[in-house]
Amino acid sequence: MTVTMTTKERREFVLTLEKTSKQTQIIIGSLLGDGYLFKSTRKGKDINGFKLDIKLDALEYLESIHKELGGCPQSPKDVNSWCRESIKVRIIPQKGKWKEKSLCSFRTFIHPSFWFYDDIFYKIDETTGRRKKIVPINLHKHLTPLVLAHWFIQDGSKGISGYMLHTQRFTFGENKRIQDALGKVFKFETSLYKDRKTKNGIQIYKVYIKASSKEHFIKIISPYIHPYFEYKL
């Protein structure tokens, strides 16, 4: 059953959220990672909500985020919750040699407050005419240890001597922006790692945090790493 709240009730809760709040940092870290915004139309206007999918093995981590965002509403007037529903589990069939994929996910209510995230994380692709996730122009203003930790949990891995952020979905210029932001905010030494090329011959990149910054990286994010993902360190 979907619980509906009035705009006034939602706004009262939204006004308590500062841009440095823990909830906002989780959402930003997740949008840099595996999270995304979905659109729904209400009274002729597009309004956003937030959704996060993650592998079923990491259910406890998703439950922790679900809880931080308020969990499920206990009543139609429960303004302490951002979440529209309980966590759902779904099986996605895979083609060829790949086994089926088990995911768990949840989504929030739609609300005008998510326009803030839509403005900085999405643009219309000139080629396809569709919304496309981008790296925020002023990324350095949004990076915190908590943001970085959730980003790494969802889209990072251990490299040979450093750590990798799997930023293949972003352009070369956006990956350079990530490098600049990580250097400016955390003083990390990074490089761009060449991955495969697309079918159109476009080179794809990842951001590599060098061995010289390894200990500093661990020190910054380790207090915020969920126990399930400690193996990544």
Side-chain angles (χ1 to χ4, degrees), residues 3-4 12 15 37 59 65 83 93 102-103 112 142-143 148 155 170 190 193 212 220 223-224 232:
V3 180
T4 303
E12 288 174 354
L15 289 175
L37 298 179
L59 176 60
I65 294 181
C83 301
S102 300
L103 295 176
H142 303 289
L143 283 182
L148 183 61
D155 250 357
F170 301 125
T190 63
Y193 175 86
S212 56
I220 286 174
Y224 308 101
K232 287 193 172 190

Short mmCIF file of all heavy atoms in Angstrom, two decimals, residues 3-4 12 15 37 59 65 83 93 102-103 112 142-143 148 155 170 190 193 212 220 223-224 232:
data_model
loop_
_atom_site.label_atom_id
_atom_site.label_comp_id
_atom_site.label_asym_id
_atom_site.label_seq_id
_atom_site.Cartn_x
_atom_site.Cartn_y
_atom_site.Cartn_z
N VAL A 3 1.69 5.03 0.74
CA VAL A 3 1.27 6.05 1.69
C VAL A 3 1.50 7.42 1.08
O VAL A 3 2.58 7.71 0.59
CB VAL A 3 2.04 5.94 3.01
CG1 VAL A 3 1.58 7.00 3.98
CG2 VAL A 3 1.87 4.54 3.60
N THR A 4 0.48 8.25 1.07
CA THR A 4 0.58 9.58 0.48
C THR A 4 0.62 10.63 1.57
O THR A 4 -0.12 10.57 2.54
CB THR A 4 -0.62 9.86 -0.44
OG1 THR A 4 -0.67 8.84 -1.45
CG2 THR A 4 -0.48 11.21 -1.12
N GLU A 12 7.60 20.23 5.82
CA GLU A 12 8.00 20.43 7.21
C GLU A 12 9.21 19.58 7.56
O GLU A 12 10.09 19.99 8.31
CB GLU A 12 6.83 20.10 8.14
CG GLU A 12 5.71 21.14 8.10
CD GLU A 12 4.51 20.70 8.91
OE1 GLU A 12 4.53 19.54 9.39
OE2 GLU A 12 3.57 21.49 9.06
N LEU A 15 12.47 20.82 5.44
CA LEU A 15 13.10 22.02 5.97
C LEU A 15 14.11 21.72 7.07
O LEU A 15 14.95 22.55 7.39
CB LEU A 15 12.02 22.99 6.49
CG LEU A 15 11.17 23.67 5.42
CD1 LEU A 15 10.07 24.50 6.06
CD2 LEU A 15 12.04 24.55 4.51
N LEU A 37 17.94 8.78 -9.79
CA LEU A 37 16.66 9.46 -9.60
C LEU A 37 15.68 9.00 -10.66
O LEU A 37 16.03 8.85 -11.82
CB LEU A 37 16.85 10.98 -9.72
CG LEU A 37 17.77 11.65 -8.70
CD1 LEU A 37 17.86 13.14 -8.98
CD2 LEU A 37 17.27 11.41 -7.27
N LEU A 59 22.46 -7.00 1.49
CA LEU A 59 21.16 -6.59 2.02
C LEU A 59 21.29 -5.78 3.31
O LEU A 59 20.59 -4.77 3.50
CB LEU A 59 20.28 -7.81 2.26
CG LEU A 59 18.91 -7.57 2.90
CD1 LEU A 59 18.07 -6.64 2.04
CD2 LEU A 59 18.17 -8.89 3.15
N ILE A 65 20.92 1.94 5.00
CA ILE A 65 20.58 3.18 4.29
C ILE A 65 19.08 3.44 4.39
O ILE A 65 18.64 4.57 4.63
CB ILE A 65 21.00 3.09 2.81
CG1 ILE A 65 22.52 3.02 2.70
CG2 ILE A 65 20.47 4.30 2.02
CD1 ILE A 65 23.04 2.97 1.28
N CYS A 83 11.19 7.10 2.84
CA CYS A 83 11.03 5.88 2.05
C CYS A 83 9.58 5.57 1.75
O CYS A 83 8.71 5.66 2.62
CB CYS A 83 11.69 4.71 2.77
SG CYS A 83 13.44 4.98 3.06
N PRO A 93 16.96 -12.18 -14.88
CA PRO A 93 17.57 -13.19 -15.77
C PRO A 93 18.73 -12.59 -16.55
O PRO A 93 18.69 -11.43 -16.93
CB PRO A 93 16.42 -13.58 -16.70
CG PRO A 93 15.18 -13.11 -16.02
CD PRO A 93 15.57 -11.90 -15.24
N SER A 102 20.57 -11.45 -8.49
CA SER A 102 19.63 -11.17 -7.41
C SER A 102 19.92 -9.79 -6.83
O SER A 102 21.04 -9.52 -6.41
CB SER A 102 19.75 -12.23 -6.30
OG SER A 102 19.47 -13.51 -6.79
N LEU A 103 18.92 -8.92 -6.84
CA LEU A 103 19.08 -7.56 -6.35
C LEU A 103 18.08 -7.25 -5.26
O LEU A 103 16.98 -7.82 -5.24
CB LEU A 103 18.89 -6.55 -7.49
CG LEU A 103 19.89 -6.55 -8.64
CD1 LEU A 103 19.46 -5.54 -9.69
CD2 LEU A 103 21.29 -6.24 -8.15
N PRO A 112 9.52 17.56 -4.46
CA PRO A 112 10.26 18.65 -5.12
C PRO A 112 11.67 18.86 -4.58
O PRO A 112 12.52 19.41 -5.28
CB PRO A 112 9.38 19.87 -4.85
CG PRO A 112 8.00 19.33 -4.73
CD PRO A 112 8.17 18.00 -4.02
N HIS A 142 30.65 19.07 -2.74
CA HIS A 142 29.76 18.04 -2.20
C HIS A 142 30.50 16.84 -1.61
O HIS A 142 29.88 15.97 -1.01
CB HIS A 142 28.81 17.54 -3.30
CG HIS A 142 28.00 18.62 -3.94
ND1 HIS A 142 26.97 19.25 -3.28
CD2 HIS A 142 28.08 19.20 -5.16
CE1 HIS A 142 26.43 20.16 -4.09
NE2 HIS A 142 27.09 20.15 -5.22
N LEU A 143 31.82 16.80 -1.78
CA LEU A 143 32.58 15.66 -1.29
C LEU A 143 32.88 15.78 0.20
O LEU A 143 33.36 16.79 0.67
CB LEU A 143 33.91 15.54 -2.05
CG LEU A 143 33.86 14.96 -3.46
CD1 LEU A 143 35.26 14.86 -4.03
CD2 LEU A 143 33.18 13.59 -3.48
N LEU A 148 32.26 9.97 0.09
CA LEU A 148 33.28 9.14 -0.55
C LEU A 148 33.13 7.67 -0.14
O LEU A 148 33.29 6.77 -0.98
CB LEU A 148 34.67 9.65 -0.20
CG LEU A 148 35.85 8.92 -0.84
CD1 LEU A 148 35.79 9.02 -2.36
CD2 LEU A 148 37.17 9.50 -0.32
N ASP A 155 30.70 1.58 -5.83
CA ASP A 155 31.36 1.59 -7.14
C ASP A 155 32.87 1.63 -7.04
O ASP A 155 33.53 2.22 -7.90
CB ASP A 155 30.88 2.80 -7.96
CG ASP A 155 29.99 2.39 -9.13
OD1 ASP A 155 29.81 1.18 -9.32
OD2 ASP A 155 29.48 3.27 -9.83
N PHE A 170 31.10 7.78 -16.96
CA PHE A 170 31.34 9.21 -17.14
C PHE A 170 32.36 9.46 -18.25
O PHE A 170 33.19 8.62 -18.57
CB PHE A 170 31.83 9.83 -15.83
CG PHE A 170 30.86 9.68 -14.69
CD1 PHE A 170 31.25 9.09 -13.49
CD2 PHE A 170 29.55 10.12 -14.81
CE1 PHE A 170 30.36 8.95 -12.44
CE2 PHE A 170 28.65 9.99 -13.77
CZ PHE A 170 29.04 9.40 -12.58
N THR A 190 46.03 10.78 -7.90
CA THR A 190 45.23 9.87 -8.72
C THR A 190 45.74 9.84 -10.15
O THR A 190 46.54 10.68 -10.57
CB THR A 190 43.75 10.31 -8.74
OG1 THR A 190 43.66 11.61 -9.37
CG2 THR A 190 43.16 10.37 -7.35
N TYR A 193 42.82 5.43 -15.42
CA TYR A 193 43.12 4.08 -15.90
C TYR A 193 42.29 3.81 -17.15
O TYR A 193 41.07 3.95 -17.14
CB TYR A 193 42.78 3.06 -14.81
CG TYR A 193 42.93 1.62 -15.21
CD1 TYR A 193 44.16 0.97 -15.11
CD2 TYR A 193 41.84 0.90 -15.69
CE1 TYR A 193 44.30 -0.36 -15.47
CE2 TYR A 193 41.97 -0.44 -16.05
CZ TYR A 193 43.20 -1.06 -15.94
OH TYR A 193 43.33 -2.36 -16.31
N SER A 212 50.49 5.87 -3.19
CA SER A 212 51.00 6.93 -2.32
C SER A 212 49.90 7.55 -1.46
O SER A 212 50.19 8.16 -0.42
CB SER A 212 51.67 8.02 -3.15
OG SER A 212 50.77 8.54 -4.12
N ILE A 220 40.48 8.01 5.85
CA ILE A 220 39.33 8.89 5.64
C ILE A 220 38.01 8.13 5.60
O ILE A 220 37.02 8.54 6.21
CB ILE A 220 39.52 9.71 4.34
CG1 ILE A 220 40.56 10.81 4.57
CG2 ILE A 220 38.19 10.34 3.88
CD1 ILE A 220 40.93 11.58 3.32
N PRO A 223 36.05 4.79 8.87
CA PRO A 223 35.04 4.91 9.92
C PRO A 223 33.61 4.77 9.41
O PRO A 223 32.69 4.54 10.21
CB PRO A 223 35.27 6.34 10.46
CG PRO A 223 36.67 6.67 10.10
CD PRO A 223 36.89 6.00 8.78
N TYR A 224 33.41 4.88 8.09
CA TYR A 224 32.07 4.88 7.53
C TYR A 224 31.77 3.64 6.67
O TYR A 224 30.70 3.54 6.09
CB TYR A 224 31.87 6.13 6.66
CG TYR A 224 32.23 7.40 7.38
CD1 TYR A 224 33.47 8.03 7.15
CD2 TYR A 224 31.37 7.98 8.31
CE1 TYR A 224 33.82 9.19 7.82
CE2 TYR A 224 31.71 9.13 8.99
CZ TYR A 224 32.93 9.73 8.74
OH TYR A 224 33.28 10.88 9.41
N LYS A 232 36.80 -4.80 1.02
CA LYS A 232 37.29 -3.93 -0.06
C LYS A 232 38.53 -3.15 0.35
O LYS A 232 39.27 -2.65 -0.49
CB LYS A 232 36.20 -2.95 -0.49
CG LYS A 232 35.08 -3.59 -1.31
CD LYS A 232 34.22 -2.52 -1.96
CE LYS A 232 33.23 -3.12 -2.92
NZ LYS A 232 32.54 -2.11 -3.76
#
